[in-house]
Structures are given as C-alpha cells and as structure tokens.
C-alpha cells in the first residue's frame, strides 16, 4: 500500500521515543511518527480532529495511567485502532492483561537496532490488515445493499445446483421468501420440463469447463410459486467460496419487454432504431401503412435521406447533439417522404440507447402530425383574420371580413352573415361569399314568420336559441323540408345582431377544428359588431354633443338632448326637466313624441311630490329601474316599464323610458351618462354666457356713465377754468402781484388734474387694435413733449413691439414725468429692453441684471421708492410730490393692463426707481 501511516508513540522517555521514531521512519518511508510523553497526552492527541492516527505504539510503565489503562481508554474510543504494547517489562501477567484489553500486538523492548525493524513490520502489518478488513467490510456492505435493493433477482447455487443465497427481489419475482429457498434445488424456480436439461448442462460444464452458450442475457422460463411461467433473461457468473465452486445468476422478468415488443409491433406510431451513422437497424410494421415503405427494405438505408431537403440539416444536427450528449432526448418536427414521393409532417422523439445492452441503437418514435399541422395553420390564419376584425370601422366591412375569413380558413364557400333588419321581422344578408350567387337565384333572406321546415324557420329557430346548429348532411336532415344547395352547415347566432351561416355544398365538409374555428370567428364577429355599434353611437353622440354647445338657450339645449337620445341612442320615451326656482321644482322643457302618446300631461316635480325624478336630482346620481311598476313611480299604470333617470348637475334631469321591462344594459347607461354630461356642460356654458351677457350690459352702462362723466369734466370744468386763466392774464396787465403767480400755478395744476381724470375715465377699455411700434421713436417723441428741465435721457436698446401707439405714449410720458417730478431737474433717465424681443435674455432686467421676460424698462437715478411703498404707487391719488396729481402711475398701470402687459417697480441699477413692463409681444419692423 502506498498510503501514509501515521503512528502515535507514547513513552515517558523522550530520548528513547525520539530514537524509536527515527528508526521507524527510516525503516519504512510511509511511517510518520508523533510522540507523547504519557497516556493523558496521548488521549488528547487522539481526540484532536486534526490528528489522524493509524496506529498507537505505547510503553507500559509510565507516570499516570499505564499502558494497559491507556489501551482500555483507546478501545472505548475506537475498538479497531491498531495498538502495539512496546514495553521493557516482559511478564506473562502484562501480556495477559494486554490481550484481554484487546491489544493488537505485544513486543518487548530489547538491545540492538534490529528490534526497530521488527516494530516497523508489526506496525505496517497491523495497519494494512485493518485497512483490508475495512475495505472488505465496505465491499460486503455495498454488495449487501446492491443485492437487497436490486430490482433483479440474484441467486447463488453450488455445483449440485442447490440454492445457497437469494436476495429479496426473488420473492417479488417468484413468490418465495429468500430463507425458504436456501438449500433447495434450483429446479424449484423452473418449469418441470426444463429441469433435466438444466442438470445436464451444469454437469457438462463442471466436467469440461466449456460453455455451450453465451452466459449473458440467456432467455429461459421461470416458475412462479403459483404455477405460472415467467419469461426470464438470465446472466450467469462463476466464483469460488471456501474452495468450492459457486455460480451466481441475475434473473430479470422480461414480461414487460415482451409486452413492449408487442406494443411496438402493433403501435400506430413508427418506431425505428438507427446506428451511430444514422442507418436504419429496425423499422416497425406501422411504417408501411403510414408511409408505404417495407420495413425490411429500409434496414441498412440512410434514414435522413427520407427527410425533406429543407428540414434535413436541422434534423441531422438534433441527431448529432443527442449522440454527443448535448441534448439527451430531442424532439423534432419535420417532413418525411412516403413511398409515393410525397411528404408528411411528422414529430419524432429520439432516445440515445447506443450504449445500452440489448438495444445498441438510437431509438426514434415518430408520429404523423399532418392533421395537427393543418389545424395549426388554420388557427394561425384565423388569428390574422380576427386581429383584423379589431380594426374594422363599419358593419359592412366587419361582416365581409368575417365571411372572407371563414371561406379562406375553413373552405365554406356558401357562407353568409344575416343581420336583423330595423323592423325586426327578417334576417337580411349583409355579406356573402363570392360563390353564393352561383348557387342561389336570389340572395337568401329569412323571414321571421316562415313556415316550419323552411330554411328561414331553421335560421330563426337557431337565432333565437343559445346554441349553434351543426348538420353534416342537410339532405338527410328531417327538420328541413326545403331544398338547398348546401349540404354541410353550421348556424351560429351572433348575439342580438343576427346569424352567421357557415356552409358548403359538400356533405360532412367540416371537421371538429373547422367547427371550433367557426365558433371562435363568430364570437370575435359578435364582439366586433358590438364595438362598431358602440363606436358609431359614440361618434354620432359626439357630433350631437357638439351641437349642444351651439344652442342659444337652455330650452334649445333640452330640445337637442331629446333629439340625440331618440336618433343616436335609440331611446323612445325621453323627457328633459330643468329646475325652475319660481316654479319650485323640475319643469318639463322638452319631450319626445312617444311621451305625448304614452304618458299623461307633464307636471312640475316638486320635492314633496314623491317622484323618482326628484329623488335622482336631489341625490345627484343616475338611477335605473328595470320595472317602475315595482318602484312606486308616479307613472305606474301608464305602460311605461323601464326607466333611467340621469341628473344634469344643478340644472335638472334627463329621463329615458321604454314600454318593456329590463331594457337598459351597461352600454345604454354609459352612453346616456355621456349625453347627460354633455348636456350639463352645455347648460353650464349657457349659464356662463347669460352671466357674461348681463355683465357686459352692466359694463356698457358703466362705460356710458364714464363717458358722461368725461363729458362733464371736459365741458363743465374746463370752460370755467379757461375763463379763470384768461382773467388772470387780464389782471396781470392792470397790476403786478405775487398772488397772481400762485393763482396761475393753481390753475395749471387743475388743468393737469382734469387731463389725468379724462385719461382715467377710459379705464376698463381694452386695446382692440395694435400695430408694430418702435420703442425708441415713441421715447424720443415723448421726451420732446414732457417738461424735462435739465434731465438727461439714454436709450440703451431698441425694440419693435405691437401696441396702440397713442396709449403707449401715455405710459412713457407719465413714467418720464414721474422721474422728473421725484428725481429732480437733473435726473438721469434710461430706457432699455428686457430680453431681446425674441425670447433671448439681455442685460437690463430686474435687480439681478438679467431676465428672460420680453418687455422694456424706464429707470432713473433718483431717490427711488421704498420697497414697502412699491405696491401703493399705482393706486389712484397716491403721490409723494406736492406737484403730482397721484394719477400718473395709475394711468401707467391702466395702459399696461389694457394691452395685457404687466408692470412692476423695482430698485434701479443706481438706486433709483426702475419700472419694468413685461409680457410685450415683439413685432417685425
């Protein structure tokens, strides 16, 4: 053995222990020695999981526990660990105790070095013996586990053919317990007719040693305890035990294999076996009636030559992947050539059994999937058609698409779609397959009251029913007496819309797949028709709601709501009630024609009248009644049954009714809600328009009063003022007095006040017409007009903007006048642009120096305006100058507002006042 041998040497003499270790390691390179000075230390080493010990060599006389006591402690831990007592005390009593304690070997110390060779041999011998015994134990355990758990029966016999061993599987196979068979002749497990032949064969082999057959997989019958025979496959072996010949047999029940063989021979699937090169080794009989090939003639042929050329590479690659183990059991769909040169779609599942005894081939199970492929193809084409149904816009487009689909996918050349007409008394054709006119003289139409036995009666019976009707041979169909070109037919109701007729001139033309396709297509058609009807109603309703906004009064809105409910939504009994505060309730404003025919004269519904209308109006939520006869309605007994009431905000209600119970569905309620919402929006707009009209009239009256005020100011104040100014000039010719200057100054101030008041009288006027104006030109013109003393003006940037030039001049003049009045005669005024008039920022904005707002500014270097006062400066009458009127900045704000601009005051760059006008619309030159 080449494994390392780890020895623990325990001796209280360290020098002797070292010498012993050296000699042991020199005697055998496999030995590695660790030492311990006493038994206690030796036990600690033994308990250390990192210290693996194969053998212990120990002295006897040591401090503490002696060698025997040490041995006893070791045996408690490991009963089989080799332990050699190597001691100088050689007495029989010590040897006896050591043997009793389970010592492996006993060796007395002596003189000379040859004792170490003996000790090394004893160590190696003890360790190898223990390892061999352990390996044997493991082997026996493995063999026992194999025999105990083997699914095959295992039997051992001697040269006299008597059973010496039987595993548990024997009982499952033969019905005998293993203990029952031991010592019994092997003939117990075989039919009587085979016993003599067995004994002869065994005796012949024992004499000659020559085998007359292969001992692997011998086919031989067995006998069950109950007398029935069992087909067996037996493999033999020979061995020697205690000097005697023994034979072992592994017996396998091949009943299932034979059944499998019968299954393969009779299977409707093709079973083939190929070798590693893809050559046929076997083909089941089914290949002849599926593909027309003789199984025997295929053996030796290259299998993949029968695969369609377009599929061959893919199939060969799958075969190769299975051979190499990359894909153990591949499944492949492909086309396979039959004896006539045609191709069938097949599906093959391969299993690599090349290394399996008794098979040695690549086994392939193949089935014809042509029908499935055709079905999948039909379903794939159906998916395309049904997808297109999701995008149709009209009934004609939808129905024709469905007919074309069933004709192409199913081959139903006599198909058509018949929808219920408006009168509800006939199923009229709306879409027919192309070949229908060649089989029918007139387009087939089905009257509701047709006689029994006719096509029409059959169509209406199916339409009214819940289930489709399928007939494979109409000629033999008893309920139909009328002749028809169709032989196969499927009638499928399309909800409330009508009937889908799928038919063919050939009998039994439709498979189960065709019927399934027809059902799927009919369901999609019903959904598509529902969608088209809903979308059409929504479009018409949308148009109707747009008309509501154009109505001039609530009464006209109500009339249009009734029209939309009748014409678009198809409701017959419609009433619109609006709340009238003077009347104290809901007043009928507009009704449909059916209301006058069914219901008594409409009255006002008040809070205490107990009407369902008022309840819904007060609750602010729609209410639907399947039958008002059970709801305590005021119209009970009138013939009205179904009722839906929809509040229209605070304005009133829309009530919709029908003479049949349970008429309204979710779609009806949804569309009615849309109409009610549109009516509420229109009535809100009408109310706003009414309020705006009243406000406009009030503003017009205010403007008239302002104009009257301006006239009074202009005529009744200016004339006396002009007289006073003239008299002062005349007095100056007669006398000279300092009071005359004061009077003239007062007159001038009064004139300024009158001018500002006249300007303010125009407050509220919006600028109706603007034109491109150049800011610098307006500024220059204003500078020449305003008394500016020694003030200076700088125009930093220029801007073209859209404005009323005369109003803009008022704004600029007042800002310049304000700067001179508050900044002093030598004030410096600057005008510049906010942004560049095209959305780009430019220096000259607010206090941070920049802004993205489009506009302009006027600033000065005067004392400025305190931040707390900046909001007040635009109030009429506010002024911090004795010469000011307090109206100048109010006029500035008024002009800005009239243009839709904004104006604000901030601190200027030099600490003065800076007025910024924003929101200006730039203009080209």
């Amino acid at each position: 053995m080449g494994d390392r041998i780890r020895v623990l040497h325990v001796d209280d003499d360290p020098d002797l222990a070292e010498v012993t270790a050296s000699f042991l390691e020199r005697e055998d390179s496999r030995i590695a020695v660790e030492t311990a000075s006493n038994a206690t230390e030796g036990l600690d080493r033994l308990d250390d999981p990192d210290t693996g010990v194969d053998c212990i060599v120990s002295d006897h006389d040591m401090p503490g526990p002696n060698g025997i006591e040490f041995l006893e402690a070791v045996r408690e831990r490991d009963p089989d660990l080799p332990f050699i007592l190597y001691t100088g005390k050689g007495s029989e009593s010590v040897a006896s105790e050591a043997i009793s304690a389970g010592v492996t070997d006993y060796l007395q110390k002596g003189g000379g070095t040859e004792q170490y060779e003996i000790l090394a041999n004893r160590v190696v011998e003890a360790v190898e013996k223990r390892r061999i015994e352990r390996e044997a134990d493991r082997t026996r355990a493995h063999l026992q586990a194999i025999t105990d758990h083997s699914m095959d029966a295992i039997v051992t016999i001697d040269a006299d053919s008597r059973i010496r061993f039987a595993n548990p599987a024997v009982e499952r196979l033969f019905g005998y317990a293993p203990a029952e068979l031991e010592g019994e002749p092997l003939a117990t497990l075989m039919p009587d007719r085979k016993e003599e032949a067995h004994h002869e064969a065994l005796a012949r082999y024992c004499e000659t040693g020559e085998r007359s057959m292969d001992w692997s997989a011998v086919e031989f019958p067995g006998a069950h305890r109950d007398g029935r025979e069992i087909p067996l496959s037996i493999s033999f072996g020979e061995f020697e035990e205690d000097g005697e010949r023994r034979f072992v047999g592994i017996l396998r029940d091949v009943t299932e294999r034979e059944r499998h063989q019968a299954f393969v021979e009779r299977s409707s699937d093709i079973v083939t076996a190929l070798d590693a090169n893809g050559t046929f080794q076997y083909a089941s009989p089914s290949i002849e009636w599926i593909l027309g090939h003789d199984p025997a003639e295929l053996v030796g042929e290259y299998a993949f030559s029968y695969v369609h050329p377009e599929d061959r590479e893919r199939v060969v690659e799958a075969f190769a992947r299975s051979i190499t183990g990359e894909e153990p059991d591949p499944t492949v769909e492909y086309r396979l050539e039959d004896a006539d040169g045609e191709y069938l779609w097949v599906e093959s599942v391969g299993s690599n059994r090349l290394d399996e005894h008794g098979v040695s081939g690549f086994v392939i199970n193949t089935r014809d999937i042509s029908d499935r492929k055709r079905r999948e193809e039909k379903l794939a084409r159906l998916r395309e058609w049904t997808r297109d149904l999701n995008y149709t816009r009209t009934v004609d487009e939808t129905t024709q698409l469905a007919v074309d689909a069933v004709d192409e996918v199913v081959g139903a050349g006599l198909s058509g779609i018949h929808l219920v007409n408006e009168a509800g008394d006939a199923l009229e054709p709306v879409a027919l397959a192309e070949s229908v006119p060649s089989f029918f003289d007139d387009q087939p139409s089905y009257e509701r009251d047709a006689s029994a036995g006719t096509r029409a009666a059959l169509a209406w019976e199916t339409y009214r029913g819940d289930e489709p009707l399928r007939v494979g041979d109409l000629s033999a169909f008893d309920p139909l007496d009328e002749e028809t070109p169709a032989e196969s037919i499927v009638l499928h109701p399309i909800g409330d819309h009508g009937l889908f007729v799928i038919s063919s001139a050939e009998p039994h033309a439709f498979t189960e797949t065709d019927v399934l396709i027809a059902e799927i297509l009919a369901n999609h058609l019903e959904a598509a028709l529902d969608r088209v009807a809903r979308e059409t109603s929504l479009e018409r309703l949308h148009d109707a709601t747009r008309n509501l906004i154009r109505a001039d009064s609530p009464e006209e809105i109500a009339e249009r709501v009734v029209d939309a409910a009748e014409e678009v939504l198809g409701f017959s009994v419609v009433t619109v009630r609006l709340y009238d505060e003077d009347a104290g309730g809901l007043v009928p404003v507009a009704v449909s024609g059916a209301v006058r025919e069914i219901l008594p004269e409409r009255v006002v519904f008040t809070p205490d009248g107990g009407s369902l209308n008022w309840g819904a109006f007060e609750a602010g939520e729609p209410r639907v009644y399947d039958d008002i006869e059970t709801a305590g309605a005021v119209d009970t007994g009138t013939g009205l049954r179904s009722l839906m009431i929809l509040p229209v905000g605070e304005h009133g209600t829309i009530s919709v009714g029908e003479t049949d119970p349970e008429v309204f569905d979710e779609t009806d309620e949804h569309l009615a809600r849309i109409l009610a919402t549109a009516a509420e929006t229109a009535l809100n707009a009408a109310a706003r328009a009414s309020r705006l009209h009243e406000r406009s009239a009030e503003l017009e009256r205010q403007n008239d009063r302002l104009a009257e005020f301006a006239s009074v100011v202009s005529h009744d104040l200016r004339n006396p003022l002009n007289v006073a100014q003239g008299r002062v000039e005349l007095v100056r010719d007669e006398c000279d007095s300092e009071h005359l200057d004061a009077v003239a100054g007062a007159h001038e101030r009064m004139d300024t006040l009158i001018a500002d008041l006249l300007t303010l009288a125009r407050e509220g006027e919006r600028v109706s017409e603007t034109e491109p104006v150049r800011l610098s030109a307006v500024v220059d013109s204003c500078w020449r007009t305003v008394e500016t003393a020694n003030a200076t003006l700088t125009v930093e940037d220029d801007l073209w903007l859209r404005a009323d030039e005369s109003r803009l001049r008022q704004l600029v003049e007042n800002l310049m006048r304000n700067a001179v009045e508050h900044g002093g005669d030598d004030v410096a005024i600057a005008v510049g642009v906010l942004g560049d008039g095209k959305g780009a920022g430019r220096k000259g904005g607010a206090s941070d120096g920049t802004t993205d707002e489009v506009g302009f500014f006027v600033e000065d270097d005067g004392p400025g305006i305190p931040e707390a006062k900046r909001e007040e400066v635009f109030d009429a009458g506010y002024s911090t100058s004795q010469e000011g009127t307090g109206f100048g900045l109010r006029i500035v704000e008024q002009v800005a507002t009239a243009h839709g601009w904004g104006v604000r005051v901030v601190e200027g760059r030099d600490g003065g006042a800076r007025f910024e006008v924003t929101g200006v619309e730039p203009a080209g030159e």
Side-chain angles (χ1 to χ4, degrees), residues 257-271 282-287 289-290 365-366:
R257 190 185 71 187
E258 291 187 354
R259 289 176 181 171
H260 179 71
Q261 180 68 25
F263 171 78
V264 169
E265 297 296 331
R266 294 170 176 80
S267 173
S268 60
D269 291 348
I270 300 171
V271 180
Y282 169 81
S284 65
S286 56
I287 200 169
W289 58 267
I290 293 178
N365 187 282
T366 302

Side-chain angles (χ1 to χ4, degrees), residues 319-327 352:
F319 174 74
R321 287 195 301 272
S322 181
I323 295 297
T324 58
E326 296 178 45
E327 187 177 358
N352 187 353

Side-chain angles (χ1 to χ4, degrees), residues 718-791:
R718 277 198 181 277
N719 286 349
L721 180 59
N722 289 338
V723 171
Q725 288 174 327
R727 294 291 186 182
V728 169
E729 292 303 317
L730 293 175
V731 171
R732 285 186 187 278
D733 293 339
E734 297 178 1
C735 64
D736 186 13
S737 170
E738 62 181 7
H739 297 294
L740 293 176
D741 290 337
V743 172
H747 288 165
E748 184 178 350
R749 179 168 173 74
M750 289 175 65
D751 185 59
T752 301
L753 281 169
I754 291 171
D756 286 348
L757 284 172
L758 287 172
T759 300
L760 286 173
R762 300 174 65 185
E763 184 176 2
E765 280 189 34
R766 299 289 296 177
V767 172
S768 58
E769 294 185 5
T770 61
E771 59 183 346
V773 178
R774 188 173 184 178
L775 178 62
S776 60
V778 173
V779 171
D780 289 343
S781 175
C782 293
W783 186 254
R784 290 191 297 271
T785 304
V786 176
E787 291 291 340
T788 56
N790 295 323

Side-chain angles (χ1 to χ4, degrees), residues 689-708:
S690 178
R691 290 193 295 271
L692 288 173
H693 180 74
E694 293 175 0
R695 175 61 178 161
S696 177
E698 178 61 25
L699 290 175
E700 188 68 29
R701 290 191 292 272
Q702 289 181 5
N703 288 337
D704 290 342
R705 291 195 294 270
L706 286 173
E708 183 180 355

Side-chain angles (χ1 to χ4, degrees), residues 794-843:
T794 302
V795 179
E796 298 179 357
D797 299 289
D798 203 358
L799 170 70
W800 282 87
L801 68 156
R802 296 197 66 84
D804 181 329
E805 184 173 357
S806 64
R807 302 294 297 276
L808 177 60
R809 287 173 57 85
Q810 289 178 346
L811 183 148
V812 175
E813 287 176 356
N814 278 280
L815 289 177
M816 288 181 174
R817 191 177 295 114
N818 181 75
V820 173
E821 289 178 355
H822 296 86
D825 292 346
D826 59 350
V827 69
I829 302 173
V831 177
V833 176
L834 301 174
D836 62 358
K838 297 183 178 69
R842 177 178 292 182
K843 187 176 180 181

